[in-house]
Amino acid sequence: MELRKLVAGNWKMHGLSTDLAEIEAIASAARNFRGVDVALCVPAILIERAARAVPGFPIGGQDVHEAGEGAHTGCTSARMLIDAGASLTIVGHSERREGQLESDAEIKAKAETAIECGLGVILCVGEILEVREQCAAVSTVLAQLDGSLPDRISTHPELAIAYEPIWAIGTGKIPTAVEIGEMHAALRARLAERYGAEGERVRILYGGSVKSSNAAEIFAVSNVDGALVGGASLKAADFMPIVAAAAS
Ligand code: 13P
């Protein structure tokens, strides 16, 4: 099934008031590509200003706490993200799985809380280089997926999966088209097994060193329904050619 593509930017720990003009430039240029969904996941503290600057354009968070509210110093709840103007959030990014030692079970709880509250979710999975070299990438990523998937999904708010090989993030290295195709096909099969027909409609994004120079090749791979873009999403001049590649 050919799904409409989603190209989401993950700004990670980048973005100040002075970057709002770049967000406006991206949102404005995105209107020229009506066949593609575009979103930007910005630092939590920038969400409200970003959402006000680009009404109607999807702004997301990069993490969410699994609890509704409570004594969780420094954390952000799903209702807070929505209150600030977010319509989606990333969960389970490898930089949080590694840096904050987030487990599959926690990520599942975060995804479930976000979806229950009405936030779309981009749930990330991906393997380290040693696992890829041991030819265990597919089994490892499927195990991560099994442990992190929410029990129930719906079309709105949406669940999307981002396959992000950790060794490809910020390195300029990417898997071959065959490797991406093999992983995305395995993810698609597992999603269909888990959710039936609804699993066929879950978008599976690729992430890790996506740039204008490799985007078309990546989007041509079957079961690649978009991209989660880090460094190349910070500037409209770098990001929009990736959106254009998804549109063509
Ligand atoms: P880069 O596009 O900078 O490799 O980052 C990918 C990523 O981690 C997106 O979430």
Side-chain angles (χ1 to χ4, degrees), residues 10 12 90 93-95 124 164 168-172 207-211 228-232:
N10 174 9
K12 307 191 179 185
I90 296 170
H93 193 281
S94 59
E95 286 153 16
C124 304
E164 298 205 310
I169 295 176
T171 59
S209 294
V210 178
K211 298 186 179 13
L228 185 57
V229 184

Side-chain angles (χ1 to χ4, degrees), residues 9-12 14 23 40-47 50 59-62:
N10 174 9
W11 273 31
K12 307 191 179 185
H14 300 281
I23 294 175
L40 284 179
C41 296
V42 301
I45 199 163
L46 198 63
I47 290 173
I59 294 291
Q62 300 172 2

Side-chain angles (χ1 to χ4, degrees), residues 1 3 153 155 158-160 188 191 195-204 225:
M1 190 190 302
L3 301 174
I153 57 166
T155 44
E158 167 188 18
L159 170 75
R188 169 67 62 221
L191 288 164
Y195 301 121
E198 272 183 308
E200 301 280 357
R201 291 190 291 271
V202 172
R203 292 190 279 196
I204 308 174
D225 309 308

Side-chain angles (χ1 to χ4, degrees), residues 25-243:
I26 288 169
S28 154
R31 283 193 220 107
N32 299 324
F33 299 99
R34 300 223 173 258
V36 182
D37 293 325
V38 183
L40 284 179
C41 296
V42 301
I45 199 163
L46 198 63
I47 290 173
E48 182 158 8
R49 280 169 289 162
R52 281 187 202 280
V54 290
F57 178 86
I59 294 291
Q62 300 172 2
D63 178 46
V64 65
H65 197 277
E66 60 270 31
E69 61 181 355
H72 304 288
T73 303
C75 299
T76 309
S77 73
R79 284 178 59 209
M80 289 171 184
L81 291 177
I82 293 169
D83 190 46
S87 54
L88 73 154
T89 185
I90 296 170
V91 301
H93 193 281
S94 59
E95 286 153 16
R96 294 199 59 87
R97 287 180 183 264
E98 286 185 343
Q100 273 67 38
L101 303 179
E102 289 185 2
S103 66
D104 288 343
E106 268 176 86
I107 291 156
K108 172 181 176 177
K110 285 168 186 251
E112 289 187 337
T113 300
I115 288 172
E116 266 165 38
C117 290
L119 274 180
V121 165
I122 299 176
L123 193 166
C124 304
V125 290
E127 82 284 356
I128 58 172
L129 186 58
E130 289 70 23
V131 166
R132 165 77 45 198
E133 286 171 347
Q134 288 157 9
C135 300
V138 171
S139 58
T140 300
V141 169
L142 287 182
Q144 246 178 17
L145 187 79
D146 288 342
S148 322
L149 282 177
D151 282 339
R152 273 189 302 279
I153 57 166
S154 65
T155 44
H156 192 80
E158 167 188 18
L159 170 75
I161 305 300
Y163 167 55
E164 298 205 310
I166 295 169
W167 52 272
I169 295 176
T171 59
K173 295 183 196 149
I174 59 166
T176 64
V178 170
E179 287 169 334
I180 296 174
E182 181 193 29
M183 183 65 77
H184 280 234
L187 290 167
R188 169 67 62 221
R190 187 57 60 94
L191 288 164
E193 225 172 83
R194 181 79 176 249
Y195 301 121
E198 272 183 308
E200 301 280 357
R201 291 190 291 271
V202 172
R203 292 190 279 196
I204 308 174
L205 317 181
Y206 168 80
S209 294
V210 178
K211 298 186 179 13
S212 58
S213 55
N214 58 25
E217 188 193 349
I218 292 168
F219 291 138
V221 176
S222 85
N223 290 302
V224 173
D225 309 308
L228 185 57
V229 184
S233 71
L234 295 172
K235 298 280 177 216
D238 297 326
F239 191 48
M240 296 323 295
I242 298 172
V243 174

